Amino acid sequence: MYIKKSFLVIIILILAAAFLLLFVQNSNRESHINEEYVNAEEFGAAGGDDKDDSRAIQAAINFSAKEKIGKVKLSGNHHFILKNGIKVKEGVKVELGQNTKIFVEGNFRAFELMKNASIENGTIEVTKAEFASDVIYLNGKERFWSHERTRIHNVAIINSSGTNSGKAISLYSKGADHFISFVNFSDINISGFEYGIHILSEKYSDDQFSFINGNRFTNITLDDCLTCIHIDSSITIPNESSGNQFTGVQLQLTEKTERAIYVSGSDNSFEAMIWDPQVAEEGKPLVEFSKSSMRSYMLTNLDSDLVKDDGDSNRIAQYSQQ
């Protein structure tokens, strides 16, 4: 009889412990819902081992979007591994801790943002030589506009593989009424890519327009990229990239750099300090305004012989001439 009672007590204690654990887990999740964020670690993102965290991070984003919570957090001082791409759903902000790192291991688009989605803080680092895709990608089919809150802020985007391949930030538009407009990119460090910032608006048809206009790039540092900033489009519709503003830009050139800035479209403006232009190939311009550029403006430290202007009514000024 004593043994039976002891066994019964043990069963009760085990059930009580299991109930308590379940209660604590549910309480933690509920507290995060109340605080309007989801912790990706609750969905299995370990943040410290060598396992792929892609599925767990995507699950946290999907849950946040479905429940209209609006924020997913990746804890500080941890590292997470992506072996598959992530789609940041509409209305969700992915917030990394200040010292959090995401390692991109493979050749795939790391983060594709839907409209009204954001990424803030931390470091996204490409570690594999086979990478030749985009780290952060926006497609005009989402129709980004001023009433959305799409934003990339306080992020370092690094290619440490040594290959200088891929694009750190890529904006692309091709389709009927596809556009990316009034998105804010701020306080971003980019290093080691083929293209630091790549903007491409391609022609869809003569009477259906696509454009990438009016975006702001503020306090951007680009280092060791083959082309730091590249804007490619027609001068105007049907496919244009116009009115984009780059302010507080610092470009650190290296011996690998082929071009600092390439400009098409109209009314794009740049305020850019370009470091160590002497590393450029002799006689080769570092800044080029293409034949498809018009009324664009650049304020820079570069000498005029390092700027090639094949466009119409563009204006280049040195800081001393301001």
Side-chain angles (χ1 to χ4, degrees), residues 10 56 61 65 127-128 150 186 188 196 198 204 246 274 314:
I10 291 172
I61 291 170
T127 61
K128 300 297 183 181
T150 308
S186 59
I188 299 172
H198 190 269
Y204 182 71
F246 295 79
I274 301 177
N314 298 308

Side-chain angles (χ1 to χ4, degrees), residues 199 212-215 217 229 231-235 240-246 261-271 289 292-299 314-315:
I199 296 174
I212 302 175
N213 293 348
N215 301 287
F217 298 82
I229 300 171
I231 302 177
D232 190 359
S233 75
S234 63
I235 292 177
E240 68 172 352
S241 295
S242 298
N244 300 291
Q245 298 177 336
F246 295 79
I261 300 174
Y262 178 87
V263 187
S264 298
S266 59
D267 301 297
N268 296 295
S269 64
F270 304 83
E271 183 260 300
F289 290 87
S292 297
S293 67
M294 181 174 67
R295 294 194 309 271
S296 288
Y297 170 74
M298 178 173 294
L299 177 63
N314 298 308
R315 189 161 70 92

Side-chain angles (χ1 to χ4, degrees), residues 192-252:
F193 290 88
E194 180 179 7
Y195 295 97
I197 297 172
H198 190 269
I199 296 174
L200 174 60
S201 180
E202 290 192 303
K203 184 177 179 180
Y204 182 71
S205 71
D206 288 333
D207 58 352
Q208 293 180 307
F209 306 153
S210 64
F211 52 90
I212 302 175
N213 293 348
N215 301 287
R216 298 180 182 89
F217 298 82
T218 308
N219 299 336
I220 310 294
T221 299
L222 298 110
D223 176 25
D224 190 33
C225 293
L226 302 189
T227 297
C228 297
I229 300 171
H230 183 98
I231 302 177
D232 190 359
S233 75
S234 63
I235 292 177
T236 183
I237 54 174
N239 57 305
E240 68 172 352
S241 295
S242 298
N244 300 291
Q245 298 177 336
F246 295 79
T247 58
V249 176
Q250 300 278 338
L251 305 183
Q252 175 61 62

Side-chain angles (χ1 to χ4, degrees), residues 141-160:
K141 66 183 179 182
E142 287 294 307
R143 300 176 179 175
F144 298 91
W145 196 249
S146 62
H147 45 72
E148 309 293 345
R149 294 297 303 276
T150 308
R151 186 185 187 199
I152 311 297
H153 173 69
N154 194 35
V155 178
I157 309 172
I158 311 298
N159 185 343
S160 62

Side-chain angles (χ1 to χ4, degrees), residues 18 32 62 72 88 113 120 133 157 171 173 223 318 320:
H32 284 184
N62 294 348
V72 172
V88 185
L113 272 64
E120 293 190 5
S133 189
I157 309 172
L171 281 62
S173 186
D223 176 25
Q318 289 183 300
S320 59

Side-chain angles (χ1 to χ4, degrees), residues 283-295:
K284 185 175 181 179
L286 287 172
V287 172
E288 182 176 349
F289 290 87
S290 77
K291 294 179 180 178
S292 297
S293 67
M294 181 174 67
R295 294 194 309 271

